[in-house]
């Protein structure tokens, strides 16, 4: 899986959105995009709702960029 995601990232299809609190990574989401589709693979959080913050920012970004 790691190798596949590295290839997808190099091809511009694998993306992640991270949420930081100071210098600590506290949440995020990652997945794959093709055309107008983004398929979220996984979300994580170390601080309550941090993954939801990442998802909200991702939706706003996708809406802004069509």
């Amino acid at each position: 899986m790691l190798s596949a995601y590295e290839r997808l990232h190099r091809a511009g299809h694998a993306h992640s959105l991270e949420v930081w609190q100071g210098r600590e990574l506290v949440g995020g989401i990652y997945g794959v995009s093709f055309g107008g589709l983004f398929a979220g693979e996984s979300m994580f959080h170390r601080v309550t709702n941090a993954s939801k913050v990442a998802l909200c920012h991702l939706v706003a970004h996708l809406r802004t960029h069509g």
Side-chain angles (χ1 to χ4, degrees):
M1 284 300 292
L2 180 58
S3 176
Y5 263 89
E6 287 173 344
R7 288 192 310 270
L8 286 166
H9 177 71
R10 283 193 298 273
H13 297 294
H15 304 281
S16 66
L17 193 137
E18 302 165 349
V19 178
W20 292 81
Q21 189 172 47
R23 300 180 103 185
E24 181 182 4
L25 177 62
V26 296
I29 182 171
Y30 74 90
V32 177
S33 67
F34 290 100
L37 169 74
F38 178 83
E41 177 71 24
S42 186
M43 297 170 63
F44 77 95
H45 69 275
R46 292 186 178 135
V47 170
T48 302
N49 294 323
S51 59
K52 294 174 189 167
V53 170
L55 180 60
C56 288
H57 281 276
L58 174 61
V59 169
H61 173 81
L62 293 172
R63 284 184 175 158
T64 299
H65 293 88

